[in-house]
Amino acid sequence: MSAAMIQSAEDSWKNFVRPLLDVKRMQCALECKFRAHAMVYNLIGALLIVTDSGRARYARSSIKIQTDDLDHYILYMPKSGGATFIASEVAYRLRRLDIAIADLATPFDVSVGAGRGISLILPRARLAPLIEDAEGLHGRYLRRDTPAGALLGRHLLALARHASAMPVGDVLGHAEAAAHLAAACLAAGGARMSAASA
């Protein structure tokens, strides 16, 4: 299948992330330089991105939304390090293996701890028709200790583990399966971020 590996320092990492997000801040110990590693898998109309990076803060601003044509959802699961996701001025702390979903047509902010993470980027045209309240997906999350969160989390881990070995002819089917599973899990157990969940 189509895959690309990125190993980068701060400047090139910003260039890698820029098509999706603006990098607001990168942090590491004074004695080290920021380093990051990513594997990007093309699932034909969807992307699976497996990252291992230092601490950083990213944002999707109204200006960025107006200047690109991205019409996608991103599901993000920290494998280690955790993350803080901010949507509509409400912050939610993602633990390891929790999953958050963001609409790339809506502003948000995320602080990612040092460590590994998995992102699945799905076009709106692929995911929205499978969900009754598609416009309400932004800021939803799945806890790792719920059946729906555990099921989708294990699927993302399996995708990341086996993506490099997928035959090209099977890639589209795996992307469709991931979209259907994400829709079912979000419908069954997706919570909405609120002040109470922060």
Side-chain angles (χ1 to χ4, degrees), residues 40-82:
V40 183
Y41 301 96
N42 183 352
L43 302 183
I44 307 180
L47 288 177
L48 179 70
I49 306 175
V50 182
T51 56
D52 190 348
S53 71
R55 292 175 60 197
R57 184 177 177 186
Y58 306 97
R60 182 128 177 105
S61 66
S62 298
I63 294 174
K64 190 167 193 67
I65 290 166
Q66 292 168 8
T67 56
D68 64 33
D69 59 355
L70 295 180
D71 196 22
H72 298 67
Y73 296 105
I74 181 167
L75 285 78
Y76 177 73
M77 181 179 74
K79 289 181 66 180
S80 60

Side-chain angles (χ1 to χ4, degrees), residues 20 27 29 32 42 45-46 52 61 79 84 91 96-97 103 106 124 128-130 149 162-163 167 175 198:
L20 288 176
Q27 295 176 322
C32 74
N42 183 352
D52 190 348
S61 66
K79 289 181 66 180
T84 300
R96 176 179 175 271
L97 304 182
D103 184 340
T106 306
R124 187 182 307 274
L130 306 175
H162 301 293

